[in-house]
Amino acid sequence: MGSKNTDSSLSGFRGLDWITVILYLALVLMGAVSIYAASYDFDNASLFDLNEFSGKQILWIGLGLILGCGILIMDYRIFKIYSYPIYITVLFVLLLTIFIAPDVKGSHSWIVMGPVSLQPAEFGKFATALALAKLFDSYNFQLNATASNYFRALIIIFLPVILILMQNETGSSLVYFSLIFVLYREGMSGLVLFSILSAVVFFVVALKFTEPLILGIAPGEFAVFIMIMVIFVGMLIFYCRDITTGRNVLLWFVGSGALVGTLALCGIEVNGFLYFGVALAVAIAYTCVMMFKHRITHYVITICFSIVSVMFLFSVNYAVNNILQPHQQQRIKVALGIEENLQGAGYNVNQSKIAIGSGGVTGKGFLNGTQTKLKYVPEQHTDFIFCTIGEEEGFVGSCIVLCLYLTLILRLIHIAERQRTPFERVYAYCVVSILIFHLCINVGMVIGLCPVIGIPLPFFSYGGSSLWGFTILLFILLRLDASRKERID
């Protein structure tokens, strides 16, 4: 009897994917060393000094490993059975955090318990992933079967987003949007991802290019209107498979555009908004007439995409100038190169790029970075930890770190694809999506490609909540993956 219990408790280790564990250990240990380098103050403090950030991170790593081992000895069925209770509990904690958390730089996202502070949003990731996996594992559940299935999946994703936004923690809430890629893997139409990508492109182009005016409108808005026209024609030809209608609409756009251009060259003032409005209206009216000869649904989607795109274009400037807070507006404008503000919102990114650039190919050497040692880069041990790697280890060291992340992500995708049930597969892809989002946004904001939104680098950035959240997220997947062999036995 005792032997059976022992075998059950060790089953999570027997089928453990040790490659992933090794990658995890490499990343967290390199992270601790990088934190030590980022916070080093020439007093020769030990890496393990609990009064220093590196010492505390080592403590978090040790406790995280204990937590991971605890997950591995648990019965894998617990995660499936208690997915919804775990999710509801975390939602309750997120709601409670809004009211009991102190104000920290304008956000109410940290629960203070004596000397320890925890950020529940970091633990909401694995809870949301479990709940989403449980939904997809429901009997006869197919995402595309009914609209209500989409609604249920989106509710699971957006409930924590709403609660975290209420904590005024925008960066952490954006992470959950990465789970949209999981829906795509499970059957969501590629049109949804295309629409999201288009919205991002429209937003950036419309906001970035404002001068000089073309036909009385900003060049960014002019370019977006052209893109909407091109996409409209492309969807008619390739999505609706109606070459004739697509060709006629294209001729209309080209012909009307040539006429307007000729009038403008002759000195006749033409309102750009009026032209594009009329051109699209005529194209949509013509398509409405032609669509009754073909598959109506595809035409309706094409028309709706164009109309919503125009509405979105007009909402961009309003949203940025009236909905976002001033510091968020500044960060977006700095990231897009609209404003520099090197002493304000752009200071962190500018100093970070100087630090990374000064590292060159091979870096200045461990503990020899000047930008980081002299504290020119704010938050260099947390969100901007990657600039320490770039300065001290250079391009080579940065590539090694990124290759480790790439190897981990590819390994997790391999693990996801070998799962036998929707629960394990969906959870695995949730882990992959969250890690990719964190990695891309964090590195992107450190080198100035993304706005600064407070996204930590997984396993590297200082903080117990972040490290434990990612550890739980990863080790639950490892436990579920190890259970494959148990089910075979």
Side-chain angles (χ1 to χ4, degrees), residues 7 11 25 31 38 48 54 59 139 142 153-154 176 194 250 313 344 397 425 451 454-455 465 485:
D7 291 341
S11 58
L25 291 174
F48 303 97
S54 58
L59 177 61
Y139 176 73
Q142 294 292 330
L154 292 176
Y176 292 81
F194 178 75
L250 176 61
L313 172 60
R425 184 181 66 249
I455 295 290
S465 295
K485 294 186 178 181

Side-chain angles (χ1 to χ4, degrees), residues 150-214:
Y150 274 101
F151 180 76
R152 291 160 65 188
L154 292 176
I155 282 292
I156 289 176
I157 294 173
F158 282 104
L159 278 179
V161 171
I162 294 170
L163 293 176
I164 295 170
L165 283 173
M166 292 173 67
Q167 299 172 7
N168 200 21
E169 190 67 30
T170 307
S172 297
S173 67
L174 293 177
V175 175
Y176 292 81
F177 285 94
S178 65
L179 299 179
I180 297 295
F181 291 100
V182 179
L183 303 188
Y184 174 71
R185 169 60 179 81
E186 295 302 313
M188 183 180 72
S189 172
L191 279 175
V192 178
L193 279 184
F194 178 75
S195 300
I196 295 173
L197 177 61
S198 298
V200 173
V201 174
F202 294 166
F203 180 87
V204 172
V205 173
L207 198 62
K208 182 174 177 62
F209 303 103
T210 57
E211 296 291 342
L213 298 182
I214 303 175

Side-chain angles (χ1 to χ4, degrees), residues 101-110 167-169:
D103 189 316
V104 179
K105 297 181 180 179
S107 68
H108 297 265
S109 57
W110 293 85
Q167 299 172 7
N168 200 21
E169 190 67 30

Side-chain angles (χ1 to χ4, degrees), residues 38-230:
S39 57
Y40 185 75
D41 58 4
F42 303 104
D43 288 336
N44 297 320
S46 168
L47 173 67
F48 303 97
D49 189 346
L50 293 179
N51 293 318
E52 302 294 329
F53 290 125
S54 58
K56 294 176 183 177
Q57 187 73 359
I58 292 291
L59 177 61
W60 303 139
I61 292 172
L63 295 175
L65 289 174
I66 295 174
L67 187 61
C69 290
I71 291 172
L72 292 178
I73 64 175
M74 295 174 66
D75 191 319
Y76 68 91
R77 289 179 285 262
I78 289 176
F79 302 110
K80 182 181 294 187
I81 295 171
Y82 294 102
S83 293
Y84 288 148
I86 292 172
Y87 177 72
I88 294 171
T89 301
V90 171
L91 288 182
F92 175 75
V93 175
L94 288 173
L95 178 63
L96 189 64
T97 304
I98 300 171
F99 302 100
I100 67 172
D103 189 316
V104 179
K105 297 181 180 179
S107 68
H108 297 265
S109 57
W110 293 85
I111 296 179
V112 180
M113 297 178 292
V116 178
S117 297
L118 292 177
Q119 188 177 23
E122 295 293 338
F123 302 98
K125 298 167 190 174
F126 82 86
T128 305
L130 285 173
L132 197 62
K134 178 69 172 179
L135 175 66
F136 277 87
D137 198 56
S138 303
Y139 176 73
N140 207 28
F141 181 90
Q142 294 292 330
L143 184 63
N144 293 321
T146 62
S148 64
N149 287 348
Y150 274 101
F151 180 76
R152 291 160 65 188
L154 292 176
I155 282 292
I156 289 176
I157 294 173
F158 282 104
L159 278 179
V161 171
I162 294 170
L163 293 176
I164 295 170
L165 283 173
M166 292 173 67
Q167 299 172 7
N168 200 21
E169 190 67 30
T170 307
S172 297
S173 67
L174 293 177
V175 175
Y176 292 81
F177 285 94
S178 65
L179 299 179
I180 297 295
F181 291 100
V182 179
L183 303 188
Y184 174 71
R185 169 60 179 81
E186 295 302 313
M188 183 180 72
S189 172
L191 279 175
V192 178
L193 279 184
F194 178 75
S195 300
I196 295 173
L197 177 61
S198 298
V200 173
V201 174
F202 294 166
F203 180 87
V204 172
V205 173
L207 198 62
K208 182 174 177 62
F209 303 103
T210 57
E211 296 291 342
L213 298 182
I214 303 175
L215 299 180
I217 63 177
E221 295 174 333
F222 186 92
V224 171
F225 272 120
I226 297 297
M227 286 189 280
I228 293 173
M229 288 179 165
V230 172

Side-chain angles (χ1 to χ4, degrees), residues 446-458:
V446 168
I447 61 178
L449 295 180
C450 299
V452 179
I453 55 176
I455 295 290
L457 186 61

